[in-house]
Amino acid sequence: MLLPLLALTACGSGDADGTAAVGAQASPAPTDDPVAAVRKVDSAAALLPADVRKAGTLRVGSSVGFPPGAYYPNGPDEAPAGQDIDLADAVAKVLGVKLERQDASFETILPALGSGKYDVGTGNFGVTSERLKTIDFVTYINDGQGFAVKKGNTTLKSKVTDLTQLCGLTIGTGAGTTFEATLSAQKGVCAKAGKKPYDVKVYSENAATLTALQQGRIDVIMSTINGLRYQAAQPASQTAFLGEFHRLDVGFAFKKGSELTKAFQAAVNVLIKDGTYARILAKWSTSASAIETSRINPPEHR
């Protein structure tokens, strides 16, 4: 769902095509490993379906590409890193299973859960009322929607609290995301306010979105709060974070009616209780998005 200058491959909103912005460099991953000490917890593992316990593996559709969620610090031929990677690995260790991680573009993962291609999906999937019609979620963080501009851009001088502030501007965002859905659903707000409508440019690859911002082809980016905040903290990105717009719970995604949800919820809560969860979020500077307890299919934040 984001577009860092730092590890531009796939993202929470699209597939990778190897494109990178000029001067893009991978951001090195923190070296501490809070997942190393995690051990199997029998009471949580017992909640897994018998066939999963027997097989000992789960197929994960993983959207990889931007820090702090999931990205390739050493290139796509090496292992991914990030908050989502650590949390998924820690949950797997609590449950005593191994993950078969398959890279996938963001917009393809949720449909693939329904077809049975993956057992679980990761990619900073926000819990929305529309998605809850077809997907089950087990929450692990509270993130959401935010905006960023090119550093020094004075078109937007303050936090975006109302989409009418974007009227007349061109917004770049990711395909299949909650951002695209929000912008499409609210397209009429500018006309109602007597203003020129905003234009939405949808990108399937984050490098292209950031390049469009740097070159002035878009005025503002709508993406994840944590991702945009992380990006703005990197001097090379030359972006400025405009603050939170709308908070959303984020969770592991499953096909509707999946028997895996109770086990995943129990595992996340084990990690919260024993402190591993807090250490993972501290590692990736996302502690402000911590949740107190994992929930299955909470209602969308309003």
Side-chain angles (χ1 to χ4, degrees), residues 104-292:
S105 59
F106 179 88
E107 65 267 29
T108 66
I109 292 175
L110 298 187
L113 292 171
S115 71
K117 183 176 182 179
Y118 309 123
D119 299 307
V120 56
T122 63
N124 210 78
F125 289 106
V127 180
T128 67
S129 299
E130 187 63 28
R131 285 176 175 167
L132 284 169
K133 294 176 183 178
T134 57
I135 298 294
D136 282 340
F137 289 96
V138 173
T139 61
Y140 60 82
I141 202 166
N142 182 252
D143 196 349
Q145 304 174 335
F147 293 93
V149 293
K150 185 177 179 180
K151 190 170 288 185
N153 186 322
T154 58
T155 303
L156 285 169
K157 297 182 177 69
S158 61
K159 177 180 177 180
V160 176
T161 57
D162 190 298
L163 293 184
T164 57
Q165 293 171 250
L166 304 175
C167 296
L169 302 180
T170 301
I171 308 157
T173 197
T177 62
T178 63
F179 320 119
E180 182 186 11
T182 296
L183 293 168
S184 296
Q186 299 297 318
K187 198 74 181 278
V189 298
C190 294
K192 290 179 181 179
K195 298 182 177 182
K196 182 181 177 181
Y198 54 70
D199 186 27
V200 180
K201 301 290 186 185
V202 177
Y203 298 89
S204 62
E205 207 284 320
N206 281 326
T209 318
L210 183 60
T211 299
L213 184 73
Q214 293 171 329
Q215 295 179 349
R217 289 183 280 115
I218 60 175
D219 301 299
V220 59
I221 292 165
M222 188 178 188
S223 193
T224 67
I225 293 168
N226 286 335
L228 291 177
R229 182 181 283 124
Y230 185 101
Q231 176 181 278
Q234 315 304 313
S237 75
Q238 290 297 300
T239 61
F241 178 54
L242 292 182
E244 301 176 10
F245 177 69
H246 178 55
R247 279 276 174 179
L248 284 172
D249 286 312
V250 169
F252 296 106
F254 306 84
K255 69 178 181 180
K256 204 68 183 173
S258 172
E259 296 180 353
L260 295 170
T261 55
K262 289 184 178 179
F264 268 69
Q265 180 192 32
V268 174
N269 284 330
V270 164
L271 298 171
I272 291 173
K273 186 175 181 179
D274 72 13
T276 302
Y277 175 79
R279 290 191 289 274
I280 291 173
L281 267 57
K283 172 182 176 180
W284 296 105
S285 301
T286 56
S287 299
S289 289
I291 58 174
E292 293 184 358

